[in-house]
Amino acid sequence: MSQTTGSPEFLPLRIALMTVTDSRDLASDTSGALLEEAARTAGHQVVTRCVVADDIYRLRAQVSQWIADPAVDVVISTGGTGVTGRDSTPEALRPLLDKEIEGFGELFRHYSLAEIGPSTLQSRAFAGLANATFLFCLPGSTGACRTAWERILAPQLDRRTRPCNFAQLLPRLHER
């Protein structure tokens, strides 16, 4: 079981948030608002937050801009990970990945099973690395975002979490 210790010091990460939707704007985006508040409360810096239509090329363009920006350590998207015809986040963003973190989606669905039962099968949540930037793609529901943040992202984006975490890997992501 992982735990957070008092050392080393907390390292605030620079996070970009994107909500994928055809029906909401920033004012009505409860999932993005939850993630923004949770990240700031944890001590991270939210460098930008936006809403993007569920369109493969718009999603890819926005995330490509962020992964090319050295001022962004983490990209978190919410929405578009289901199985309907308009859900295109995996198709849009997986091609940008240098490495997929397969266990993320598995772990997310494991935690979600206790909350929503077998409906968790409809989530295609995933994560990976693109140009030394962590990319986490979550479902659009506020409950799913809360689960992902509290159970996975908060501890993994905190370099005090032991035995290991994603934050401590940032300096090594450009190694070849």
Side-chain angles (χ1 to χ4, degrees):
M1 181 107 201
S2 69
Q3 59 181 333
T4 303
T5 63
S7 74
E9 290 183 31
F10 178 78
L11 173 68
L13 302 181
R14 298 162 300 182
I15 300 174
L17 298 172
M18 177 177 70
T19 297
V20 178
T21 183
D22 292 326
S23 60
R24 287 173 281 155
D25 57 18
L26 279 177
S28 61
D29 174 25
T30 57
S31 296
L34 176 132
L35 290 168
E36 181 174 15
E37 177 64 24
R40 289 186 194 282
T41 299
H44 298 294
Q45 179 186 5
V46 176
V47 294
T48 188
R49 176 176 160 215
C50 69
V51 172
V52 178
D54 200 338
D55 173 83
I56 288 175
Y57 302 103
R58 290 181 188 178
L59 299 177
R60 206 173 278 165
Q62 181 60 69
V63 172
S64 292
Q65 179 183 341
W66 288 338
I67 64 176
D69 185 346
V72 175
D73 301 312
V74 177
V75 173
I76 303 172
S77 77
T78 175
T81 61
V83 296
T84 71
R86 292 291 298 158
D87 291 321
S88 60
T89 300
E91 290 76 19
L93 303 183
R94 270 198 172 109
L96 300 177
L97 297 180
D98 300 318
K99 295 182 181 183
E100 188 159 356
I101 303 169
E102 290 88 355
F104 178 84
E106 296 165 5
L107 188 59
F108 173 77
R109 285 181 284 280
H110 167 78
Y111 288 135
S112 296
L113 182 63
E115 297 173 13
I116 64 170
S119 295
T120 192
L121 288 173
Q122 295 181 29
S123 169
R124 297 186 300 150
F126 69 98
L129 284 166
N131 193 34
T133 303
F134 285 103
L135 174 61
F136 301 98
C137 298
L138 314 177
S141 82
T142 304
C145 290
R146 181 178 294 106
T147 297
W149 181 266
E150 292 175 358
R151 304 293 302 266
I152 305 170
L153 296 177
Q156 281 297 296
L157 298 179
D158 186 335
R159 74 177 185 168
R160 299 170 297 179
T161 299
R162 295 290 173 246
C164 57
N165 58 75
F166 291 137
Q168 72 189 34
L169 299 176
L170 280 170
R172 299 186 56 207
L173 296 179
H174 285 291
E175 291 178 352
R176 296 287 178 234

